[in-house]
């Protein structure tokens, strides 16, 4: 059952939750550190009430809260973003749903509304909020503006392109690359119906036991992130990225467990 106080305890937020930028920053980062992105959980918790596949649009928020937050299983962008949206609204923030697409998602699903993120308005300034992207990406809200913004050694900027905003990222010593594109059009959950149908079609066509593809999981660290995609393990610490392929099964299982259950070393 969705419970604001229990939610705040789960992500480690203490004291009064004010509707200001400091609180928004704290909630955003604490959420990313406490609740893992978990692609496996996103495809299994909770099951579709229609019995036809994964339910990504008409989710039962109480059941999703129990599985993703209270039980600590984590989830995908839609589960995490929908729950954080409700939390922020319950706390009194002016927040709306936005839709976008990652580079990989656009290739897999061919729809412009794939990724779910949030827009919070505070004192006439707009802030991009996203607790549902596996990463690497920003750990605290980004102001919607043209300037370069730096978080934990990583640079971010929003660039206008053909009616969309493109989020670009540059790690320390690296090059700029695209994280995802989105628009500032306010959406309702039904906008993800096409994406849900394509996810279920892909799952239905997958080989038995394939589980919908490689595991993708991530968790924020105090100064960065740890991301596991299949056997590829990426860490970002103080803006510096390190990536390696995990060959040893024991090490793989240890690192996966660390991301999913925390904390990550």
């Amino acid at each position: 059952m969705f419970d604001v106080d229990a939610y705040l305890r789960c992500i480690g937020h203490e004291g009064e939750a004010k509707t200001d930028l400091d609180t928004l920053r704290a909630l955003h980062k604490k959420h990313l550190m406490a609740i893992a992105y978990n692609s496996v959980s996103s495809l299994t918790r909770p099951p579709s009430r229609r019995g036809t596949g994964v339910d990504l649009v008409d989710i039962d928020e109480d059941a999703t809260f129990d599985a993703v937050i209270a039980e600590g299983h984590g989830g995908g962008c839609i589960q995490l973003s929908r729950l954080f949206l409700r939390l922020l609204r319950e706390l009194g923030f002016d927040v709306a749903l936005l839709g976008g697409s990652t580079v990989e998602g656009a290739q897999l699903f061919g729809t412009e509304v794939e990724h779910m993120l949030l827009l919070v308005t505070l004192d006439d300034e707009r802030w991009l909020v996203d607790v549902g992207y596996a990463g690497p990406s920003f750990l605290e809200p980004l102001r919607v503006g043209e300037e370069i913004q730096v978080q934990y050694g990583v640079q971010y900027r929003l660039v206008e392109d053909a009616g969309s905003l493109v989020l670009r990222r540059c790690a320390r010593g690296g090059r700029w690359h695209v994280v995802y594109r989105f628009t500032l059009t306010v959406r309702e959950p039904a906008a993800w119906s096409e994406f849900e149908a394509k996810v279920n079609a892909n799952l239905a066509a997958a080989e038995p036991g394939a589980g919908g593809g490689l595991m993708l999981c991530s968790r924020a660290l105090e100064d960065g992130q740890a991301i596991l995609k299949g056997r590829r393990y990426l860490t970002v610490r103080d803006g510096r990225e390190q990536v390696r392929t995990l060959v040893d099964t024991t090490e793989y299982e240890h690192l996966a467990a660390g991301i999913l259950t925390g904390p990550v070393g």
Side-chain angles (χ1 to χ4, degrees):
M1 180 70 68
F2 193 96
D3 184 307
V4 170
D5 291 335
Y7 202 145
L8 295 176
R9 287 195 300 272
C10 284
I11 65 175
H13 185 81
E14 300 177 352
E16 184 180 359
K18 301 178 181 179
T19 53
D20 57 23
L21 183 56
D22 286 343
T23 299
L24 182 63
R25 283 177 171 148
L27 292 173
H28 194 282
K29 188 176 180 187
K30 287 176 183 291
H31 196 291
L32 288 171
M33 293 182 68
I35 309 298
Y37 181 100
N38 181 357
S39 65
V40 174
S41 180
S42 74
L43 298 179
T44 60
R45 297 175 184 276
S48 170
R49 287 175 290 173
R50 297 189 294 273
T52 57
V54 179
D55 189 346
L56 299 175
V57 175
D58 188 24
I59 65 173
D60 182 327
E61 290 186 357
D62 289 331
T64 303
F65 175 83
D66 290 341
V68 172
I69 307 296
E71 297 173 16
H73 295 293
C77 79
I78 291 179
Q79 291 89 353
L80 296 170
S81 294
R82 287 278 296 275
L83 292 174
F84 200 53
L85 170 76
R86 181 169 172 181
L87 174 67
L88 294 180
R89 282 180 172 167
E90 295 268 357
L91 293 175
F93 284 92
D94 180 356
V95 56
L97 276 179
L98 301 181
S101 60
T102 62
V103 174
E104 185 176 62
Q107 293 173 345
L108 286 174
F109 304 109
T111 174
E112 68 176 61
V113 180
E114 165 238 335
H115 184 54
M116 181 181 285
L117 56 155
L118 309 178
L119 183 72
V120 172
T121 302
L122 285 169
D123 299 324
D124 297 323
E125 283 197 321
R126 295 174 298 180
W127 296 87
L128 195 64
V129 168
D130 192 350
V131 298
Y133 182 69
S137 188
F138 56 95
L139 304 185
E140 298 176 2
L142 289 177
R143 195 180 77 82
V144 177
E146 299 178 353
E147 76 276 13
I148 292 176
Q149 301 174 64
V150 182
Q151 295 185 7
Y152 306 96
V154 180
Q155 298 181 84
Y156 299 91
R157 65 184 178 191
L158 296 171
V159 180
E160 291 190 31
D161 178 49
S164 297
L165 285 175
V166 177
L167 173 62
R168 297 178 64 85
R169 174 184 179 276
C170 181
R172 194 184 298 275
R175 295 183 295 179
W176 288 97
H177 69 272
V178 173
V179 180
Y180 49 70
R181 66 172 54 237
F182 64 98
T183 72
L184 295 176
T185 302
V186 175
R187 310 279 185 173
E188 294 297 330
W192 279 263
S193 295
E194 180 184 355
F195 172 62
E196 178 185 285
K198 292 189 175 185
V199 167
N200 284 321
N202 285 4
L203 288 173
E207 292 292 329
L214 297 174
M215 170 182 274
L216 174 60
C217 58
S218 68
R219 184 183 292 268
L221 312 173
E222 185 61 44
D223 62 348
Q225 287 175 287
I227 302 146
L228 182 62
K229 181 178 182 181
R231 293 275 177 169
R232 183 176 181 269
Y233 184 64
L234 169 67
T235 57
V236 186
R237 308 300 295 259
D238 192 28
R240 295 179 175 85
E241 294 185 354
Q242 290 188 330
V243 61
R244 58 195 177 95
T245 300
L246 304 177
V247 177
D248 182 77
T249 300
T250 299
E251 182 184 25
Y252 169 84
E253 293 175 347
H254 171 73
L255 291 174
I259 291 176
L260 293 174
T261 63
V264 179

